[in-house]
Structures are given as structure tokens and as C-alpha cells.
Amino acid sequence: QVQLVESGGGLVQAEGSLRLSCAASGSILSINDMGWYRQAPGKQRELVAVFTSGGSTNYADSVKGRLTISRDNAKNTVSLQMNSLKPEDTDVYYCSAKVWTGASNRFMNYWGKGTLVTVSS
């Protein structure tokens, strides 16, 4: 079993900053991509940023230049530094990781429970 635990959400004023962190634990043999997604009520979950196992990063166009994803492979953690936040960034943010546990022959996708980020105008 694999657990992803997010932390760092909260309330911040527009143009402020927050840092989200996510730690993966459990029966982990290897982690492929780690990333952050967000979802507003009634909307589909969307990619915010991903950090691949190869070391590359991809961002949603709406967050480029404001949000930065980082990863610590030794600690199985991924973080999201969020600067110049806007009210439209208000969402529940979910950590995601593709993990190989050895229970199957492929990487499986796991999700955290989410952390709420609220940006006030």
C-alpha cells in the first residue's frame, strides 16, 4: 500500500505565496512521475505541474512563471512553490505519483487526499 500525504495549503491574499509538500510512503520500489493536480467543485481535475523521473518538468500554461515544482527522490517527496497567487488559483490541490510496488508489473497511479488553497482578492 502507498500513501501520499499533502501539507501546506491554506488561505492567502492575492499576490501572496504558499508552498505545498507531498510525501509518499509505503511499499515503494520505484516512483516514476510525481506531480500536482487541482480540481474545483463541478470541474475536472487538471494538471498543474509534473516532475518526471527523467528530471524534466511540465506546467499548465496558466501557472508558468508563478509556480515551481521540485522533487527529492531520496525522500520520495514533491513540492510546489506557489508565488504571485491569483484568486483563480483557488482549488483543492492533489499530489499524484506513479509508483511501482512490485505487486504488479507496472507503475500504478496514487493520489493524496488533497489540500485546499484559497486565494482572496
Side-chain angles (χ1 to χ4, degrees):
Q1 189 72 328
V2 174
Q3 298 81 37
L4 301 181
V5 179
E6 303 107 333
S7 61
L11 173 64
V12 64
Q13 289 188 333
E15 297 303 315
S17 297
L18 280 175
R19 184 175 180 84
L20 305 183
S21 295
C22 172
S25 62
S27 304
I28 298 171
L29 296 180
S30 180
I31 302 180
N32 196 335
D33 297 351
M34 296 188 81
W36 291 93
Y37 290 72
R38 65 187 182 186
Q39 185 172 23
K43 293 189 177 181
Q44 284 192 328
R45 192 170 295 185
E46 62 177 14
L47 173 70
V48 176
V50 64
F51 201 120
T52 72
S53 59
S56 62
T57 58
N58 290 303
Y59 295 91
D61 288 343
S62 60
V63 306
K64 286 180 180 177
R66 301 187 298 116
L67 275 58
T68 303
I69 190 170
S70 59
R71 177 173 173 172
D72 187 328
N73 291 326
K75 297 180 179 179
N76 290 336
T77 60
V78 63
S79 298
L80 187 68
Q81 179 64 42
M82 310 170 72
N83 298 329
S84 302
L85 283 164
K86 304 176 181 181
E88 50 264 42
D89 293 318
T90 296
D91 268 323
V92 177
Y93 285 71
Y94 296 89
C95 175
S96 173
K98 292 182 179 178
V99 181
W100 183 41
T101 64
S104 70
N105 60 356
R106 62 189 182 96
F107 287 83
M108 301 292 290
N109 207 50
Y110 291 87
W111 296 93
K113 293 183 179 180
T115 185
L116 177 63
V117 171
T118 303
V119 184
S120 63
S121 58

